[in-house]
Amino acid sequence: MAAVHGFFADPAALAHHRHGTPPIALYQVVFPYAEVWGNEGNAVTIAADIYEHWLERDGGSDGN
Amino acid sequence: MAIDHDHDHDHDHADAHEPVNESRHIQDESIRIERALRELLIAKGVFTAGELQQRIAATESRTPEAGARVVARAWVDPQFKAWLLKDAKPAIEHVLSIDLKQTPELVVVENTAARHHVICCTLCSCYPRAVLGVPPAWYKSPQYRSRVVIEPREVLAEFGTQIAEGVDIRVVDSTADVRYMVLPRRPGGTEHLGEAQLAAIVTRDAMIGVTVLPEVRL
């Protein structure tokens, strides 16, 4: 987790003419290339902005 | 994954890197859907034709010159740069008087000797229009959006951009709510340039992160 951008209306709800409330936290999550694509990516990281309800809690004690 | 490049199209194709990916059929359909949706929204009173025209004019009045001014100021003013990287919108609005009230959040990411950022929107075409204007066609293409997250070094190479081994490439994937702009590295040979001259060498593609700015030679 690299950054918390703030709270925004749920974009999936907005797409269906709903209000998207309560607002949902939007995080920037940085993934090493291998974690996304399964092979080494030659020093590449992917920083994706992901809303909280699109994330699942890691099974381990300390999530990413 | 080669870029499909058929020439059965009539739009402007000045940029050699611009991938052409939509068949004529899909484009025609998009135009019909856009017209139907627009007429319906106006008929339902969601907005007026005049409001739509105003919004289009406002959007089209934005150009990458705004972003270039931001970059040039950041290069010459370390205090502004620190503020910009921490909280871009108020920094830009206060220092450069660029109006960002109608625009989504903006985050500026700094390219360094150790890390090169490149911006994309894998979901659609989210782009920092307020500071870069209308996005180039290739930015919205499925090829760019899917390939840049899978093989960024190869995609950058197609833009003529070689990123040294050992430099971390960070692909930044946007959403509608937060837009990104790259603060490129200040190229060599620009020590003598003033802020306005610096702004003139900053390109749109460098602020997306698909190119780096070349050394300036007199």
Side-chain angles (χ1 to χ4, degrees), chain B residues 73-88:
Chain B
R73 175 60 66 94
W75 283 343
V76 300
D77 182 346
Q79 255 184 316
F80 171 71
K81 180 177 148 183
W83 189 11
L84 179 73
L85 296 176
K86 197 160 163 267
D87 203 1

Side-chain angles (χ1 to χ4, degrees), chain A residues 11-60:
Chain A
L14 290 180
H16 291 276
H17 288 265
R18 295 196 296 268
H19 292 294
T21 49
I24 290 165
L26 178 61
Y27 301 105
Q28 187 187 54
V29 188
V30 176
F31 301 95
Y33 187 91
E35 212 165 287
V36 180
W37 303 113
N39 52 345
E40 288 307 316
N42 202 1
V44 173
T45 50
I46 298 164
D49 283 357
I50 304 177
Y51 299 90
E52 180 158 291
H53 62 315
W54 295 351
L55 292 164
E56 284 179 10
R57 194 163 289 281
D58 193 323

Side-chain angles (χ1 to χ4, degrees), chain B residues 144-218:
Chain B
Y144 175 74
R145 286 155 46 203
S146 57
R147 289 185 59 216
V148 76
V149 287
I150 298 172
E151 42 181 21
R153 267 176 217 279
E154 288 80 352
V155 171
L156 291 177
E158 288 168 30
F159 281 93
T161 306
Q162 305 295 334
I163 302 297
E165 297 284 321
V167 175
D168 175 43
I169 295 184
R170 176 156 294 178
V171 183
V172 183
D173 188 8
S174 330
T175 61
D177 290 317
V178 180
R179 311 301 170 90
Y180 288 91
M181 185 190 107
V182 172
L183 173 59
R185 296 180 70 194
R186 183 173 174 167
T190 60
E191 297 75 12
H192 60 290
L193 297 182
E195 192 177 332
Q197 292 168 302
L198 287 170
I201 64 161
V202 179
T203 64
R204 176 198 72 196
D205 288 358
M207 294 183 281
I208 302 173
V210 291
T211 59
V212 294
L213 296 171
E215 194 168 322
V216 173
R217 293 197 189 86
L218 285 178

Side-chain angles (χ1 to χ4, degrees), chain B residues 35-54:
Chain B
R35 183 187 300 150
L37 190 62
R38 166 165 43 88
E39 288 174 356
L40 190 63
L41 289 167
I42 291 168
K44 278 179 166 284
V46 176
F47 49 72
T48 67
E51 284 167 345
L52 179 64
Q53 283 310 317
Q54 260 180 353

